[in-house]
Structure formats: C-alpha cells, structure tokens
Amino acid sequence: MAPADIKAWKVRGEKVKGFRSFILRGNVVDLAVGIVIGAAFTAVVNGFVGAFLTPLVGLATGATGDMSRKTFTVGSTEFPYGAFINAAISFLLLAGALYFLVVLPINNLHERLAPHHDVQAPKRDCPECLSPVPAQARRCASCTIPLPAVPAPAEEVTQRAG
C-alpha cells in the first residue's frame, strides 16, 4: 500500500471512532429509545381512539357505525371529515397523556429536588435613565453612565469599626 492509502485509512478510522462515540453517547441512545416508545404509545392511543372513542363520538353526534369513515361531498370531491376527527382526538389524547404523565411529574420532581429560588439583589434607579440597577453597581447597564457610590448602611459601619 502506498503511504497516501494508509493515511486515508487512518482518517476514515478516526471518523468511524468519532461516529461510534457519538452514537454511544447517552443522550443519543435515550433519544432513540424515546422515539421507539413514543411510536408504540402512539399506536396504543390510536387503537384506543379507533376502538372506543370514535364510535362514542359517532353515537353522540347521532351517526351510527364508525365515525372515522364519515365523509361529505362537494361537487365530485369527497372530504373524509371522520378521519380528521379521529386524528384530532388521537392528538389531544396523546398530548394530554404526555403532559399529565410525563411533563407534570418531571417538573414536580425537578422543583422538589432543585427548587428555584430567585434571589433579587437590592435595586436603585439610575439617575440618568431611571432604569433599575443593582444597588452596588458602579455603572448603569442601560445608559453606561458611572453611578454615584452608595453609602454603606449604619449597621455595617459600626460592625467594621468594632
């Protein structure tokens, strides 16, 4: 083999190693598992909607039989509105299930484990542009003028002296 061929094989090998490490990284594998589970869950929801909810919607609207096969005709074109209703119900059920079974519990767990406490620094108004700035700031972030120094509270002065 010529040296150029060996170098080309090494470059390809490095690219394959990089691709392998990318694929085996945790977030890519987790994403792939999530997509597969989501597809399976979608099939279950669609089956539930088709078997139970679509006939119930048909009964509630006075239609008999399978609501997903209902159509209306304009001119010579058929519009399958029943299939749209079926898909809309599937979407709403899937979105609701994901929100109530995944998003809310994860948000509650996140809040319980790492509560977000937004600590606000004391603020004062910039004398030039009147925008709020932290009390200890030396320059306004909005108009960039130097700010006058704030005298320390009396408590801090006595603590430093003593």
Side-chain angles (χ1 to χ4, degrees), residues 75-151:
S76 61
T77 305
E78 270 191 5
F79 294 91
Y81 70 91
F84 172 75
I85 291 173
N86 196 17
I89 292 171
S90 294
F91 171 76
L92 290 174
L93 274 180
L94 187 61
L98 284 176
Y99 181 75
F100 290 109
L101 298 177
V102 177
V103 173
L104 274 182
I106 293 292
N107 287 347
N108 290 338
L109 180 66
H110 187 304
E111 186 64 32
R112 193 175 319 143
L113 295 178
H116 177 69
H117 298 291
D118 205 9
V119 179
Q120 291 290 328
K123 298 208 182 265
R124 63 182 171 150
D125 288 337
C126 171
E128 184 72 25
C129 68
L130 301 177
S131 64
V133 293
Q136 299 300 319
R138 289 186 241 145
R139 189 173 287 275
C140 177
S142 299
C143 66
T144 69
I145 67 158
L147 297 172
V150 176

